[in-house]
Amino acid sequence: MQSKTRICLKLAGSECTLCIESSNCISIAYALDKYMEECGRVDLEHIVAVEGGRILGLNEVLCGEKEITVVRLVRGG
Amino acid sequence: MYGLNGRILEVDLTTNNYRVVEVEEKIYKLFMGGRGLATYILAKTLGEKWRLLDPLSPENPLIIATGPLTGYYPGIKLIVSGKSPQSNGVVGSAISSELAVELKAAGYDAIVVKGASEKPVYLYIEDNRVEIRDASDLWGLRGRELIEKLVEKAKREHGLERPPGHLYIGPAGENLVRTAAVMAKLAHASGYGGYGAVMGSKKLKAILVKGNNPLPRIYNPEKFIELRQQAVKTLVERFARFRQWGTVSGTWYHGYHTSSMPIKNWQEEWHDNKEFSPGGFESKTWVKNPWADYGCPTACMKLSRTIAHGDKYVTDGPDYEMAAYLGTNLGVFKPEDAVRLSAVADDLGLCGIQTGNVVGFAIELYEKGLLTKEDVGYELKWGDVEAIEKLLYDIAYRRGIGRILAEGVYRAALELSRVKNTDLLKYTVQVKGIGIGAHGIRSGLDYPQPIAYACSVQGGDHTSVAGLPVKSTESEAWAAIMDSSVVCMFNDLGDNFILEYLNAVTGWNYTLDDLYNTGRRILTLQRILLLLGGPDVTWNPLEHDDNPPRFYEPLPTGPYKGRATDKSKVLELKAKYYAELGWDEKGVPREETMDKLGLGEFKNLLKQLVQG
């Protein structure tokens, strides 16, 4: 039986934390997309997901319970 | 020492001499390079007389500084600094120029230009050869013409096939305009701080550097190669859309979605003009995409061209800031018009942000009847490209009303308030003399936090915003680290990655705490110098650590109509921010904080500040 996936995302300095739950594994692209939708203030192409200091690729898939830091790469312009 | 030369080139234009100054590694470990190193040099050599130091006097040095990651990390930013003629503090003003890598390959980590020449000169540096050369034939030239001459000179006088890494000023810098930028490659500008005027005050038209040596050795070459490959791969993959559209994507993203783009001197922050969007610029003005500097895989720049009245106008992107400040902030909503004004500002050597800010201020005053045709000599209207172009020239050459506006928005407002006998400061959108970058805070949807500008040690600089938590990439400590390492903010891959990279290059074995403490150290020293200020302007934290009045007015249009910055939230965040930095309730660094950060030798400056 597949275990439940729960991924929580938080951007430093933002009050918005988003937790996504699913019975399946979740792709980083999907999680970041959802974060952007819910929390605003960030543009998908300008952020990355970081877990334990490692930048996660958009195509990576996470399963189980994870805490993800959203890091903004592009500020300004 | 790894990753650094440990040498600074000091050139004195008054005595026509130069010398090489050795720098101990412990200084780099405390301040890294770039903005941090410049702040250290300024505090150490001029801190005691900071309040009396006129930024446009020969005593104020112009500092050009690289960092430990220059030449190793993708991108080629360098930092221009000195006492700022805008804020009277220290601004680390970033610019892309191949000069960064050339300088390091020539054997120097930084150039400190002291004194002032009596006649126009340019600096030519090739490894150990340092020449202060006559620039009488270059003085007065605008950007495009100057670059053509530099190409010719490089071939004829220096035997080079193409011009070496360079920095220069246009007429605005020559005329000591406080919104003048130090320029490179036609359209790159170090605008924040007003260092074009500092360079002009030294009669220094250009700096050319050619380095023929290998870069300094690396502590861990194998790890470096692995990280470099990872950086390039991630930037190429992750920023495909950024490469396609560049920062000009902000014209729609910030103009329409986040409602945080300056429109008509920030009276509004939202537009739905579909033509003023990345697609509009691509179809109307782009002639080259992408355009990049040496070794940059992100390649966010574009080259734009337009023709008006038979004249050709060429600029980059324009990037979002130029499109905003020389576009929507002036009521200009046609891509080709924004390109035209951006090209004019570049050619004159004006910072598009600071100049677009003061021009927006002037047009609003005209709209309100507070400036008249008699004052200006012609009508000023939103979107009137002909009049705006004329005003840019008047500012650069300090003609008519341009004489006052050339002082930058803060000082111009003080002077016009005096002349008109009414408070005009309330119409300025600046913090501590520096016009705010094109990212508003009222909608709460763009990246700057409510204290972003109010508490920044670089005033309205959108590339150095204050933010919480301090130990995060959202903070100004992080901006100071980026500007001191020196890494382009568009190639930032997060704190852990930069930390690993820095350790691989330097062997410093920094922890993340060490890294952020370096950022805190730089900010703390910058803060002291900013509050010392002088001689013509000083800042009172209780009054000036705040947003411009306009940011407390509700947004009048768009989906976030009615939203405004909450003053009580600003006060709450400000208190939290100062406490996190170890500053007192007024934002004055505490003595114990200075001890903790290894800034003990600068306590005399703190004493000056506290004693008033």
Side-chain angles (χ1 to χ4, degrees):
Chain A
M1 197 177 97
Q2 198 164 17
S3 62
K4 202 169 98 176
T5 297
R6 180 182 159 84
I7 298 179
C8 290
L9 300 104
K10 184 162 172 58
L11 174 77
S14 166
E15 285 162 7
C16 184
T17 298
L18 176 72
C19 293
I20 309 167
E21 293 189 5
S22 169
S23 52
N24 300 313
C25 297
I26 293 171
S27 81
I28 293 299
Y30 175 80
L32 287 179
D33 220 8
K34 278 281 160 205
Y35 185 83
M36 186 180 69
E37 247 179 66
E38 293 291 321
C39 299
R41 288 196 60 186
V42 281
D43 187 354
L44 176 63
E45 63 192 294
H46 297 166
I47 55 176
V48 287
V50 174
E51 189 198 15
R54 189 175 72 88
I55 298 170
L56 303 171
L58 279 183
N59 297 327
E60 285 191 50
V61 171
L62 296 180
C63 308
E65 291 224 0
K66 304 276 181 194
E67 287 202 358
I68 302 298
T69 307
V70 178
V71 176
R72 194 198 311 277
L73 299 181
V74 175
R75 289 168 214 84
Chain B
M1 196 181 303
Y2 296 94
L4 291 151
N5 290 298
R7 288 155 40 103
I8 290 174
L9 178 66
E10 198 178 278
V11 180
D12 190 327
L13 295 181
T14 302
T15 60
N16 239 14
N17 279 321
Y18 71 91
R19 65 177 185 140
V20 175
V21 180
E22 306 275 335
V23 181
E24 289 179 81
E25 190 174 22
K26 67 176 185 190
I27 302 301
Y28 291 104
K29 280 186 168 179
L30 286 169
F31 295 95
M32 291 210 278
R35 190 209 292 199
L37 183 63
T39 306
Y40 170 77
I41 293 170
L42 290 163
K44 182 87 177 165
T45 58
L46 294 160
E48 288 285 357
K49 47 183 173 183
W50 191 259
R51 278 178 163 159
L52 300 173
L53 177 68
D54 177 354
L56 299 179
S57 70
E59 288 72 35
N60 186 26
L62 179 75
I63 301 175
I64 313 293
T66 66
L69 294 186
T70 302
Y72 306 112
Y73 198 89
I76 46 155
K77 280 277 195 279
L78 60 80
I79 294 297
V80 181
S81 195
K83 183 170 183 177
S84 162
Q86 289 167 0
S87 73
N88 297 24
V90 179
V91 172
S93 192
I95 182 170
S96 281
S97 166
E98 277 77 7
L99 187 143
V101 182
E102 297 282 6
L103 184 65
K104 222 156 153 181
Y108 313 104
D109 297 323
I111 309 172
V112 178
V113 184
K114 300 167 84 171
S117 174
E118 280 180 14
K119 59 182 178 80
V121 291
Y122 75 96
L123 263 180
Y124 181 79
I125 300 162
E126 186 169 352
D127 305 331
N128 291 328
R129 195 173 134 208
V130 179
E131 295 173 8
I132 301 167
R133 298 177 69 109
D134 179 47
S136 304
D137 57 335
L138 303 177
W139 201 252
L141 294 182
R142 302 201 297 265
R144 279 176 69 177
E145 210 180 349
L146 175 69
I147 288 175
E148 282 166 19
K149 279 263 190 188
L150 289 177
V151 172
E152 192 190 306
K153 261 187 192 294
K155 279 188 186 168
R156 200 183 58 235
E157 295 176 24
H158 307 296
L160 301 170
E161 275 309 301
R162 52 184 189 161
H166 60 269
L167 295 172
Y168 61 85
I169 53 168
E174 294 174 10
N175 294 319
L176 311 187
V177 172
R178 285 181 201 259
T179 66
V182 173
M183 304 292 300
K185 291 171 79 173
L186 184 70
H188 294 352
S190 157
Y192 282 118
Y195 296 113
V198 175
M199 198 158 157
S201 73
K202 299 186 177 306
K203 287 270 192 301
L204 178 60
K205 182 67 177 174
I207 303 174
L208 280 70
V209 182
K210 179 73 194 155
N212 298 301
N213 306 307
L215 290 172
R217 63 199 173 133
I218 290 167
Y219 174 73
N220 187 340
E222 290 78 24
K223 186 71 183 168
F224 162 73
I225 290 168
E226 179 197 323
L227 291 170
R228 168 104 191 170
Q229 284 171 346
Q230 199 186 330
V232 171
K233 185 171 176 282
T234 309
L235 290 168
V236 166
E237 278 176 9
R238 200 65 189 81
F239 286 171
R241 279 175 60 199
F242 192 41
R243 185 174 311 105
Q244 170 62 34
W245 297 111
T247 64
V248 83
S249 60
T251 51
W252 188 248
Y253 186 68
H254 299 301
Y256 182 75
H257 291 292
T258 66
S259 193
S260 55
M261 187 172 187
I263 292 167
K264 297 181 181 174
N265 198 33
W266 293 90
Q267 292 182 90
E268 299 171 54
E269 295 185 25
W270 178 81
H271 78 84
D272 61 354
N273 188 320
K274 290 195 173 70
E275 196 190 354
F276 208 76
S277 65
F281 279 93
E282 183 191 38
S283 61
K284 296 274 175 62
T285 68
W286 287 1
V287 290
K288 184 176 168 59
N289 178 25
W291 182 35
D293 294 310
Y294 166 82
C296 183
T298 301
C300 64
M301 290 180 294
K302 323 296 159 206
L303 200 63
S304 274
R305 193 186 82 145
T306 193
I307 297 174
H309 310 305
D311 291 326
K312 289 176 193 155
Y313 297 85
V314 181
T315 186
D316 62 355
D319 69 6
Y320 165 68
E321 290 288 329
M322 294 303 97
Y325 258 115
L326 296 168
T328 56
N329 194 52
L330 308 180
V332 170
F333 285 92
K334 284 189 175 172
E336 53 271 44
D337 287 346
V339 164
R340 175 177 165 187
L341 294 175
S342 184
V344 169
D346 287 341
D347 212 28
L348 293 168
L350 287 166
C351 165
I353 299 175
Q354 298 308 308
T355 312
N357 184 295
V358 73
V359 170
F361 165 74
I363 301 177
E364 186 181 348
L365 294 190
Y366 197 97
E367 184 184 43
K368 290 183 158 55
L370 296 163
L371 268 184
T372 63
K373 197 174 171 184
E374 272 186 2
D375 297 320
V376 181
Y378 43 93
E379 280 186 50
L380 284 181
K381 279 186 295 195
W382 299 117
D384 183 345
V385 184
E386 305 299 330
I388 294 168
E389 180 172 330
K390 191 166 165 38
L391 191 54
L392 293 181
Y393 274 89
D394 286 346
I395 291 171
Y397 290 98
R398 285 185 172 270
R399 297 186 299 227
I401 191 74
R403 272 200 301 273
I404 295 175
L405 302 180
E407 289 296 297
V409 74
Y410 181 75
R411 288 170 174 83
L414 287 180
E415 175 61 9
L416 289 171
S417 295
R418 189 188 63 76
V419 173
K420 299 284 178 182
N421 198 27
T422 183
D423 171 30
L424 299 177
L425 266 176
K426 63 184 174 193
Y427 301 114
T428 65
V429 186
Q430 53 79 35
V431 172
K432 299 186 186 71
I434 298 188
I436 284 176
H439 294 270
I441 59 173
R442 282 186 277 187
S443 72
L445 294 171
D446 207 336
Y447 72 94
Q449 298 176 15
I451 54 164
Y453 304 111
C455 296
S456 167
V457 295
Q458 302 201 160
D461 184 345
H462 76 286
T463 68
S464 187
V465 293
L468 286 162
V470 170
K471 192 184 165 184
S472 81
T473 53
E474 295 298 303
S475 77
E476 195 177 17
W478 184 245
I481 292 162
M482 297 298 281
D483 282 353
S484 304
S485 42
V486 172
V487 171
C488 174
M489 67 181 196
F490 295 142
N491 288 343
D492 178 3
L493 288 173
D495 47 13
N496 280 292
F497 189 79
I498 297 290
L499 173 70
E500 215 180 336
Y501 214 107
L502 186 71
N503 284 335
V505 171
T506 62
W508 287 347
N509 203 23
Y510 262 17
T511 62
L512 206 54
D513 278 336
D514 294 332
L515 192 63
Y516 277 103
N517 281 339
T518 303
R520 289 165 187 265
R521 184 177 300 117
I522 296 162
L523 291 189
T524 297
L525 201 49
Q526 274 189 284
R527 175 74 176 174
I528 291 172
L529 293 174
L530 177 67
L531 294 184
L532 282 171
D536 67 329
V537 165
T538 50
W539 310 111
N540 171 6
L542 292 176
E543 182 189 347
H544 297 113
D545 285 1
D546 200 358
N547 291 302
R550 181 133 292 158
F551 283 5
Y552 294 110
E553 294 169 9
L555 287 172
T557 52
Y560 305 103
K561 183 177 171 178
R563 280 199 193 178
T565 308
D566 178 354
K567 185 97 176 186
S568 62
K569 185 79 183 165
V570 172
L571 294 173
E572 179 197 320
L573 290 173
K574 196 159 76 168
K576 203 172 161 194
Y577 182 70
Y578 290 161
E580 264 203 40
L581 279 169
W583 299 355
D584 71 12
E585 63 285 353
K586 279 194 203 164
V588 176
R590 294 183 191 279
E591 217 175 308
E592 57 265 34
T593 302
M594 297 193 70
D595 286 331
K596 209 172 129 190
L597 293 172
L599 291 172
E601 65 175 307
F602 297 109
K603 276 199 214 165
N604 53 336
L605 304 183
L606 183 64
K607 205 174 281 174
Q608 265 193 53
L609 191 59
V610 174
Q611 284 168 351

